[in-house]
Amino acid sequence: MALTGDSLLYCIDVNSALMQLHCGRAERHDLPALPPSHYNAPEQEGGPASNAESNKKSHHTDMYNSSELILRRGQSCRITLEFNKPLTDWQSIVFTVQTGPANSGYHNTNVEFALSSSWSSGMWSAVLESSPGNSLRIIMSSPANAVIGRYDLSVQISAMGQTSTYSLGKFILLFNPWCLDDEVYLANEEERKEYVLNDHGVIFMGNDKFISSIGWNYGQFESNILNICLNILDRSLNCQKDTAADYSQRHSPIYVGRVISAMVNSNDDFGVLEGRWEKDFLEGVDPNTWNGSVEILWKWYNDNFKPVKYGQCWVFAAVMCTVLRCLGIPTRVITNFNSAHNTDGNMEIDMHYDTEGKFLEISNDSIWNFHVWNESWFIRRDLGIFYSGWQVLDSTPQEKSQEMYRCGPTSVIAVKEGDLHVGFDTPFVFAEVNADRVNWVINKDGSKEKAHSDTKYVGQNISTKAVGNDARVDITHNYKYPEGSPQEREVFEKATRNMPLYRQPSENVTANRSPMSNRRRNNNPLGRYSSSTPNLSTSVNGRQPAINENARTLSPSPSTGNLSRVPHTRSTRNSFRPSSPSPNPSRASTPLFEGPDITGKFRLLSPVVIGEDINLILNLQNMTPYHRPVKVNLSAASILYTGRRVNDIFTEQKSLIISPSQDAHISLQIPYSHYHKYINDGNMIQVVALCELPFGEKVLVTKDLVLENPAITIKPLGNAVLHKTMALEIRFTNPLNMTINDCTVVVEGSGLIDRQLTTMVPYLKPKEKIRFKVELTPYRTGTRQLIVNFKCKHFSIKGYQLLNVESW
């Protein structure tokens, strides 16, 4: 390229410039006048050309499967400008970086900065390092609060009285958790590896008594994923409405997180995923069959940004985790068990049952067996430093926030302290983990009886993946004080008082330091029955030892029933009594007892496995010194994980008299031949016993069952070596006593397989075992996750295996 139009005086080798920029470094010795706190990167020896790979690693962008230049803000890189002869007598060299529309008028999207001999702290800078021969070696750095996204880089050189401008190409700038001055800075290196660089993980599901997990391929470094993530920002309603203003706010993780929260669902725009919670997924993909985010994002991109069908909460959260990690924001996936959806802001979730114990959908309130959202790590200067750290972001479309379906960022600390006045959406998240459950019985005449409020049911075993391994970590203590503690009730009462006063903050994310920044914290086993209907038997005897259930690997406790003795002033899980029982003279002489006259609990007699019969026992305990006649209305239904009743499986009624201070047992078996046609892909069944006592007293006992799928065995047949083909053996057994047809096996794993491998299995006979081999060629070192999904119309069964890929 000529610097003058009249004669060829100097030429710039643009390709060389971009090559050196791509190999840019960020070590401390590159920045002689830079304050030590400006960035946090390892020091390395050697020049930019001789250390290309190590230089890319210093920006932690070497994992991106992209030919584009990808840098992180707040860090330096080298540019080498090559000329056809030494450049002398130059008056100025001015660089320009531009993102978004040209001439937008925003100072942070179009920046000019001159080559100088010293750094300008907190600004785009270019410093001349040396000028050997016909080249200029320049160190360029971006500020730690620079706008993230796609940039154009150009240079204007004035020499010998003439000025010319040259385009040096494009680059992408990301958030930088390694930079001390970046709002997303995360101090622990192992946490940065987990929450930014890890491209696979596990998501916890099930219920609070039986916690299971699935593997997930986040795939944020796979081909074209970064480009797709930037397209998500560009296609947001904010960007469509005012492109220049939108780009200017992309320096803020608060703003970016809120935009992504809205765009991952498609309710207000042409976002990535369309949600559906019904059985019919014929027009798209059953959410249970997704294995990772890569296929979802590619489908959205290839279908010209048409929403992908379908997603549910864990899919929304997993996709958002991919996008935010890809952009450089530390992010993790969170599961809240017994998650409340409070629609009226009264901090009470109303649950209604008929006199047979069937759940009635009368209220818009609900309690999900589990709900999955994200947490992202960044500073909240808009609220005060006290509220910094993990922030809830939820892209599942539940309620509108400022006229759009999105949620957060919500400070986890604000939730724990009950500080509902801070944004965004703190009251909603607080209710998800703290609301009280109130049970009602709707009588046949339409009247209803209110049960006690269960203050401990909601917000249990809040879980996330451990750093560096797939273990479950319970983080409930991050969201609330111990249940029943003085601090917990104090926070709840404060939040309840302030709930009506909450107002959403402005969308403006300009950081203003708050006086709250220094705020302190407050501080006989049943045999198999051949009948195709449920089998009931009753026994009355003295109290028996508890029946031990099979332990679950990831479960905090065995799956037990849900009713214990109920104190008069404090409720316990899934039980209730009328708050104002009808007076009866015959009871006047009855001694007073805490709680209801009987208590109850369901217990499993064997593991609940798909394809097997379900065996339970209902234990009823008479807490009084008197005989107590009891009428028990039993029912079972398949449910969604959102708690919605889908199909009734059976109803049955039993009557019995329980002797004073004795136990009564009702045995129950539900054959697979009876329930299999009613269950949905969530494999969840709710069993209910509504016990009616004299004088109108009622006791409700519930138990949610999660049917286990059989295991898939994945066995490596050799070592995993980079760029070397390896084989794995996959084994699976049909769990059903019936032939299954038209099965599909899908294998997926970032760094192991490009996209997916798919094969068909025409049929499997009852209880038949299948074994087959898969060959793959790893293309990335380190710990990789291989996911196998065996699916048919009867079930979708997943397994995963971690492989340690070594270099040659």
Side-chain angles (χ1 to χ4, degrees):
M1 284 188 176
L3 265 174
T4 69
D6 298 329
S7 59
L8 186 61
L9 297 179
Y10 297 100
C11 289
I12 300 178
D13 187 343
V14 177
N15 291 328
S16 175
L18 285 179
M19 178 190 70
Q20 300 299 345
L21 182 59
H22 187 70
C23 299
R25 307 185 64 187
E27 294 78 3
R28 289 195 174 105
H29 63 271
D30 285 341
L31 310 171
L34 203 61
S37 63
H38 186 75
Y39 58 85
N40 183 27
E43 296 192 6
Q44 301 170 10
E45 297 298 330
S50 62
N51 288 288
E53 291 303 316
S54 63
N55 287 327
K56 287 189 291 184
K57 287 181 179 179
S58 71
H59 276 262
H60 306 280
T61 61
D62 54 307
M63 293 177 68
Y64 287 90
N65 187 7
S66 173
S67 60
E68 296 178 278
L69 172 58
I70 305 169
L71 304 172
R72 296 191 186 274
R73 67 185 190 178
Q75 222 170 301
S76 68
C77 60
R78 274 196 174 93
I79 301 174
T80 300
L81 301 182
E82 297 285 352
F83 302 91
N84 63 340
K85 64 178 184 178
L87 180 64
T88 58
D89 298 326
W90 56 272
Q91 285 78 47
S92 67
I93 298 177
V94 178
F95 294 92
T96 300
V97 290
Q98 178 187 313
T99 184
N103 304 316
S104 66
Y106 288 91
H107 68 91
N108 59 350
T109 61
N110 193 312
V111 184
E112 293 185 353
F113 52 100
L115 183 64
S116 64
S117 58
S118 63
W119 295 103
S120 298
S121 179
M123 301 173 63
W124 286 91
S125 298
V127 173
L128 180 61
E129 183 184 33
S130 62
S131 53
N134 298 345
S135 63
L136 295 180
R137 293 183 179 177
I138 298 165
I139 302 174
M140 183 181 77
S141 70
S142 59
N145 64 346
V147 168
I148 61 101
R150 302 182 182 94
Y151 276 86
D152 292 304
L153 174 65
S154 61
V155 62
Q156 183 183 83
I157 300 178
S158 297
M160 301 178 65
Q162 299 191 46
T163 301
S164 295
T165 301
Y166 303 94
S167 173
L168 298 180
K170 301 178 183 293
F171 66 93
I172 295 173
L173 195 65
L174 304 177
F175 290 103
N176 193 351
W178 288 265
C179 176
L180 288 167
D181 292 336
D182 197 310
E183 290 178 312
V184 304
Y185 173 70
L186 192 57
N188 186 285
E189 175 63 17
E190 294 305 309
E191 291 181 345
R192 291 192 292 248
K193 290 178 181 178
E194 179 67 49
Y195 301 135
V196 182
L197 300 182
N198 195 354
D199 58 2
H200 62 267
V202 295
I203 300 172
F204 297 100
M205 306 170 74
N207 63 31
D208 67 319
K209 297 301 182 183
F210 175 62
I211 299 176
S212 60
S213 65
I214 61 170
W216 193 270
N217 176 27
Y218 295 119
Q220 67 266 34
F221 304 118
E222 296 306 294
S223 176
N224 204 40
I225 294 301
L226 176 55
N227 179 53
I228 295 172
C229 293
L230 294 173
N231 282 334
I232 292 175
L233 290 173
D234 290 344
R235 300 190 69 82
S236 71
L237 291 182
N238 291 36
C239 190
Q240 302 302 314
K241 180 180 178 180
D242 189 335
T243 303
D246 171 74
Y247 268 79
S248 72
Q249 295 191 79
R250 293 186 188 180
H251 66 91
S252 167
I254 302 170
Y255 180 81
V256 171
R258 194 153 170 80
V259 169
I260 297 300
S261 173
M263 278 297 295
V264 169
N265 72 73
S266 64
N267 284 46
D268 307 293
D269 42 45
F270 286 96
V272 176
L273 273 166
E274 179 180 330
R276 173 166 288 192
W277 281 262
E278 303 300 325
K279 176 64 178 177
D280 183 7
F281 303 111
L282 296 178
E283 295 182 0
V285 176
D286 183 337
N288 290 279
T289 64
W290 294 116
N291 303 313
S293 307
V294 175
E295 292 302 311
I296 294 171
L297 292 169
W298 263 104
K299 183 170 178 55
W300 181 69
Y301 178 80
N302 287 335
D303 290 351
N304 197 26
F305 309 110
K306 181 180 178 181
V308 178
K309 301 177 179 181
Y310 296 100
Q312 293 179 5
C313 71
W314 70 92
V315 185
F316 287 110
V319 170
M320 185 156 68
C321 183
T322 295
V323 175
L324 294 176
R325 286 186 182 182
C326 186
L327 298 177
I329 300 177
T331 302
R332 61 188 185 182
V333 175
I334 308 297
T335 303
N336 177 38
F337 291 95
N338 299 339
S339 186
H341 182 180
N342 186 216
T343 59
D344 52 16
N346 66 353
M347 294 300 296
E348 292 183 347
I349 307 299
D350 297 312
M351 311 295 287
H352 300 86
Y353 296 83
D354 68 12
T355 54
E356 293 182 343
K358 294 180 181 179
F359 180 74
L360 303 174
E361 293 186 36
I362 294 177
S363 170
N364 289 326
D365 290 351
S366 61
I367 298 178
W368 297 18
N369 280 39
F370 67 91
H371 179 48
V372 184
W373 60 64
N374 298 100
E375 285 179 358
S376 293
W377 179 276
F378 46 82
I379 291 173
R380 293 300 298 269
R381 291 194 176 94
D382 59 323
L383 304 179
I385 302 302
F386 174 78
Y387 296 107
S388 298
W390 290 115
Q391 312 290 319
V392 171
L393 285 162
D394 192 348
S395 56
T396 300
Q398 296 184 90
E399 298 292 330
K400 286 190 173 183
S401 172
Q402 294 178 328
E403 306 305 319
M404 296 179 68
Y405 281 97
R406 56 187 171 181
C407 182
T410 307
S411 168
V412 173
I413 291 176
V415 173
K416 182 172 184 176
E417 300 299 331
D419 293 336
L420 305 191
H421 61 283
V422 302
F424 295 83
D425 309 305
T426 311
F428 184 81
V429 178
F430 184 88
E432 286 185 299
V433 300
N434 283 292
D436 288 348
R437 169 175 171 160
V438 181
N439 293 321
W440 301 80
V441 173
I442 308 300
N443 297 311
K444 292 182 179 179
D445 62 1
S447 63
K448 63 180 182 179
E449 302 176 46
K450 184 178 180 180
H452 71 269
S453 175
D454 189 335
T455 63
K456 297 182 179 180
Y457 184 74
V458 168
Q460 296 294 312
N461 299 325
I462 303 174
S463 304
T464 192
K465 176 187 175 300
V467 173
N469 62 70
D470 290 346
R472 185 183 72 88
V473 177
D474 193 309
I475 59 169
T476 307
H477 61 279
N478 288 352
Y479 282 83
K480 53 186 180 181
Y481 290 98
E483 292 283 1
S485 67
Q487 300 101 317
E488 184 260 343
R489 281 292 95 183
E490 178 185 348
V491 167
F492 184 86
E493 290 166 4
K494 177 178 72 171
T496 303
R497 288 193 307 268
N498 293 335
M499 182 76 77
L501 305 177
Y502 176 76
R503 297 292 183 272
Q504 282 282 10
S506 167
E507 193 74 26
N508 191 341
V509 296
T510 301
N512 292 308
R513 293 195 177 267
S514 165
M516 295 294 290
S517 60
N518 294 319
R519 181 189 183 284
R520 292 183 180 179
R521 282 201 191 184
N522 300 330
N523 287 321
N524 182 27
L526 295 179
R528 298 285 172 86
Y529 291 87
S530 59
S531 170
S532 63
T533 59
N535 293 281
L536 302 170
S537 63
T538 305
S539 64
V540 180
N541 54 9
R543 297 185 185 169
Q544 301 294 321
I547 299 174
N548 294 326
E549 297 176 22
N550 287 10
R552 314 295 188 190
T553 301
L554 291 173
S555 176
S557 61
S559 182
T560 60
N562 294 330
L563 182 70
S564 58
R565 186 169 179 171
V566 186
H568 210 55
T569 58
R570 191 89 173 157
S571 60
T572 55
R573 177 159 316 191
N574 284 351
S575 64
F576 72 87
R577 59 177 302 172
S579 56
S580 301
S582 302
N584 190 298
S586 66
R587 299 195 64 174
S589 60
T590 302
L592 294 176
F593 295 91
E594 273 195 347
D597 288 356
I598 68 167
T599 63
K601 177 181 289 187
F602 279 111
R603 288 177 180 158
L604 285 171
L605 298 177
S606 58
V608 184
V609 180
I610 190 78
E612 302 291 337
D613 298 342
I614 299 172
N615 296 293
L616 310 103
I617 190 167
L618 171 64
N619 181 66
L620 298 175
Q621 182 178 342
N622 186 351
M623 307 301 295
T624 77
Y626 307 100
H627 288 82
R628 283 289 177 259
V630 184
K631 183 174 72 173
V632 182
N633 298 295
L634 289 158
S635 65
S638 63
I639 61 172
L640 302 177
Y641 79 97
T642 60
R644 181 176 178 271
R645 196 179 187 100
V646 180
N647 295 302
D648 291 331
I649 297 175
F650 80 90
T651 59
E652 190 71 42
Q653 187 177 100
K654 299 289 293 185
S655 295
L656 64 159
I657 297 176
I658 310 179
S659 299
S661 302
Q662 297 293 300
D663 293 351
H665 303 292
I666 298 177
S667 299
L668 170 63
Q669 184 184 68
I670 312 175
Y672 174 75
S673 59
H674 186 69
Y675 73 75
H676 83 273
K677 54 183 174 290
Y678 298 113
I679 60 173
N680 53 67
D681 290 319
N683 287 354
M684 292 185 177
I685 295 175
Q686 184 180 75
V687 185
V688 180
L690 180 61
C691 305
E692 298 184 30
L693 287 80
F695 321 115
E697 187 176 21
K698 295 180 177 67
V699 172
L700 186 72
V701 188
T702 68
K703 185 174 185 64
D704 291 344
L705 308 175
V706 180
L707 280 74
E708 293 184 72
N709 285 316
I712 293 178
T713 302
I714 306 170
K715 180 182 178 181
L717 301 179
N719 295 330
V721 180
L722 185 67
H723 303 312
K724 184 177 180 180
T725 300
M726 68 172 297
L728 299 98
E729 182 181 79
I730 299 174
R731 297 181 182 181
F732 171 75
T733 301
N734 177 9
L736 306 182
N737 288 313
M738 57 185 292
T739 299
I740 54 176
N741 301 303
D742 302 324
C743 308
T744 303
V745 179
V746 178
V747 183
E748 182 174 341
S750 290
L752 299 171
I753 298 169
D754 184 14
R755 304 286 291 275
Q756 287 183 337
L757 296 176
T758 303
T759 187
M760 299 297 296
V761 179
Y763 67 92
L764 276 179
K765 297 176 181 179
K767 302 296 183 178
E768 181 182 3
K769 297 181 180 179
I770 185 174
R771 181 174 62 181
F772 55 93
K773 289 184 180 180
V774 171
E775 289 189 345
L776 54 86
T777 305
Y779 55 90
R780 193 173 294 144
T781 59
T783 301
R784 320 308 315 162
Q785 181 191 70
L786 185 73
I787 299 173
V788 178
N789 185 359
F790 188 101
K791 53 186 179 180
C792 66
K793 68 177 182 179
H794 300 286
F795 50 74
S796 176
I797 300 174
K798 298 181 181 181
Y800 71 89
Q801 176 71 41
L802 297 179
L803 302 174
N804 184 29
V805 180
E806 300 176 347
S807 57
W808 284 86

